[in-house]
Amino acid sequence: MPHFTYIYDTYCGWCYGAEPVITALIDSGAAVEVFHRHLFQGANAHRMGDGFGRMAMQYDRRIATLSGQEFSDTYVSNILSAPDEVLESGLTARAAALIHDRGAKAEMALAARLQRERFVNGRSAADKAAVTAALAEAGVTADLADAAEKARALSEQAGALLARYGLSGVPALLRHDGDNTQIVNIGDFYQTPERIAAIAA
């Protein structure tokens, strides 16, 4: 039976668009391992007022059209139009690290919860309370600060996997079957996420 590796960043709009597809894959019973890339940090921690907000809005509209995922007016107002808002996914990387050992289903449920907080409810990437509350709902009470090293290690693993298969961005879904690894085009399943179960057979 094939197994899968999924690499994502919670605050990546394309990863938000892919969420129903990956959830459907996990719900099909497929063996899936997930890694949070922590893409948005350092030079990639973008300030909305520097033009990133306008660019992200264009991508988000396209993602919404392709995937049906909601990007609310509240998100546009509170996040994309807030000049000092910075897209830095360190808190979500630590949250992912804290729940990682519970498996892909738990980690993706947390990611989906945090994506709704951002893209629908308009919560800032710097809103630690929102991340902590989502973790608590998942039954995780450990301090985010304690997960810094594990988050870094998981991100490095994700980066190494991307490089191995000639990839640089997220989301990335890999299908492993014996010695063969195939890059799956998630976009093929945006409109009908349930179809992805067929490639897990």
Side-chain angles (χ1 to χ4, degrees):
M1 292 289 289
H3 62 281
F4 298 83
T5 303
Y6 178 59
I7 302 168
Y8 74 104
D9 186 299
T10 304
Y11 288 156
C12 157
W14 290 104
C15 298
Y16 174 52
E19 182 272 320
V21 179
I22 303 306
T23 296
L25 179 63
I26 293 169
D27 288 346
S28 77
V32 183
E33 186 173 18
V34 299
F35 292 94
H36 192 287
R37 177 67 179 98
H38 194 184
L39 179 65
F40 302 113
Q41 61 176 316
N44 289 322
H46 305 292
R47 182 178 176 273
M48 298 301 162
D50 294 335
F52 185 81
R54 292 190 301 274
M55 182 178 70
M57 189 181 301
Q58 295 175 1
Y59 282 116
D60 292 343
R61 287 172 177 164
R62 184 179 177 198
I63 296 164
T65 299
L66 291 172
S67 69
Q69 290 283 73
E70 178 185 4
F71 294 84
S72 73
D73 291 340
T74 302
Y75 160 69
V76 173
S77 176
N78 290 3
I79 304 300
L80 299 186
S81 301
D84 293 329
E85 171 71 18
V86 175
L87 174 53
E88 209 294 333
S89 54
L91 291 177
T92 60
R94 294 182 182 192
L98 286 174
I99 205 168
H100 181 77
D101 291 343
R102 298 191 181 193
K105 188 175 183 70
E107 187 168 336
M108 287 297 94
L110 176 65
R113 169 77 164 78
L114 292 171
Q115 286 164 342
R116 285 193 300 275
E117 285 296 324
R118 180 172 181 81
F119 297 111
V120 179
N121 298 332
R123 301 291 287 269
S124 169
D127 193 333
K128 184 178 179 180
V131 178
T132 301
L135 279 168
E137 286 184 12
V140 178
T141 57
D143 195 303
L144 285 165
D146 296 336
E149 181 58 29
K150 185 171 183 178
R152 183 194 61 77
L154 289 169
S155 181
E156 288 182 355
Q157 283 183 263
L161 281 166
L162 290 171
R164 183 184 306 170
Y165 296 105
L167 300 169
S168 58
V170 294
L173 180 63
L174 304 172
R175 181 183 185 273
H176 312 284
D177 195 352
D179 294 330
N180 180 55
T181 294
Q182 174 188 10
I183 300 168
V184 179
N185 183 359
I186 300 173
D188 289 344
F189 304 96
Y190 275 150
Q191 297 299 319
T192 50
E194 67 279 359
R195 289 197 304 110
I196 200 166
I199 71 170

